[in-house]
Amino acid sequence: IIVGWFSSIPHAPSSTMLSTFNLMFPPSNMKVYTKTGDKGTTSLVGGARIDKSHARIEAYGTIDELNSALGYLLALLPEGSHVSLLESVQHALFNVGCHLATDIAQGNETDAPCLDPSCAVQLEAAIDQMQAKLPPQTHFILPGGTPAAAWAHVCRTICRRAERRVVALSHEAHVSFSALQYLNRLSDYLFVLARFINHNADLSEKTWQNTCK
């Protein structure tokens, strides 16, 4: 599921490790399918095999889902409209996924690239810039608006689910604080981005009408 980190991994990947990533980064002489996961297990970075229902797989699988959803959001956005930042987010999520796919208890800590704390700072700066141009939020907002804004809300909720999965994993294994921090900040960014897209499209936000009073 996770690829793109081989340049940052100091050790040559084993054949078992390659089988983990070949779906999205197959060598020219390797088939897309390996059949090694037919019985419900998969490989982590370093070669250890675990069940596909494991909390670790659920965590980095949801990161992959989020990354794919962001890819669709990028397809909806015009060039220059936060495209560069969102593409950098996709790269950062690959790093998060690789970190989650590495069990340092197996002695593979050096195989997991670190997520630079500046990545979260970059999101905070983007949030601040957008909020400076937005009207104050005084009510809960219903997800929706333009197709891009509505999908940004979908990405936000997937990001929150990814964060919950990573927190669950952190209760039983080491998870970098920077990964948790980044996911928390990313969902905030996606919420503000959805508002910003609708604002630029001159769409009024629909707010929650509490009918339970």
Side-chain angles (χ1 to χ4, degrees):
I1 294 174
I2 301 171
V3 299
W5 307 285
F6 292 135
S7 62
S8 62
I9 295 177
H11 307 295
S14 66
S15 58
T16 309
M17 175 181 163
L18 283 171
S19 69
T20 306
F21 304 125
N22 72 329
L23 281 178
M24 292 179 65
F25 193 58
S28 58
N29 62 344
M30 182 180 287
K31 292 182 178 180
V32 172
Y33 55 89
T34 64
K35 303 183 181 181
T36 57
D38 289 352
K39 294 183 178 180
T41 63
T42 190
S43 296
L44 299 177
V45 173
R49 295 195 68 83
I50 62 174
D51 195 271
K52 290 181 178 180
S53 65
H54 193 282
R56 187 177 294 280
I57 308 303
E58 189 65 38
Y60 75 67
T62 311
I63 294 294
D64 184 47
E65 181 184 351
L66 171 59
N67 216 337
S68 298
L70 289 173
Y72 186 62
L73 176 59
L74 280 164
L76 295 174
L77 290 173
E79 191 65 34
S81 180
H82 283 249
V83 167
S84 178
L85 178 55
L86 284 169
E87 287 179 347
S88 73
V89 168
Q90 288 190 302
H91 286 286
L93 289 176
F94 268 119
N95 279 3
V96 172
C98 188
H99 167 71
L100 298 174
T102 305
D103 185 358
I104 65 170
Q106 301 295 323
N108 298 311
E109 185 172 8
T110 57
D111 287 345
C114 296
L115 189 63
D116 194 311
S118 65
C119 293
V121 174
Q122 184 182 34
L123 293 178
E124 291 169 2
I127 291 170
D128 293 341
Q129 290 172 5
M130 289 187 289
Q131 284 196 307
K133 301 176 182 179
L134 290 172
Q137 181 188 345
T138 58
H139 297 83
F140 288 107
I141 296 169
L142 299 183
T146 70
W151 194 253
H153 278 296
V154 173
C155 291
R156 170 182 60 83
T157 59
I158 296 173
C159 185
R160 284 298 189 195
R161 175 155 50 86
E163 182 185 12
R164 294 194 298 271
R165 298 293 186 267
V166 175
V167 169
L169 175 62
S170 73
H171 294 159
E172 58 185 80
H174 170 75
V175 171
S176 169
F177 169 76
S178 62
L180 289 166
Q181 180 189 45
Y182 188 75
L183 292 172
N184 190 33
R185 208 69 78 250
L186 178 57
S187 61
D188 294 334
Y189 165 77
L190 291 168
F191 175 75
V192 177
L193 177 62
R195 292 194 67 208
F196 189 70
I197 293 170
N198 281 332
H199 178 73
N200 286 345
D202 293 323
L203 286 182
S204 298
E205 294 175 325
K206 296 182 179 179
T207 58
W208 173 45
Q209 304 300 316
N210 188 353
T211 58
C212 300
K213 295 179 181 179

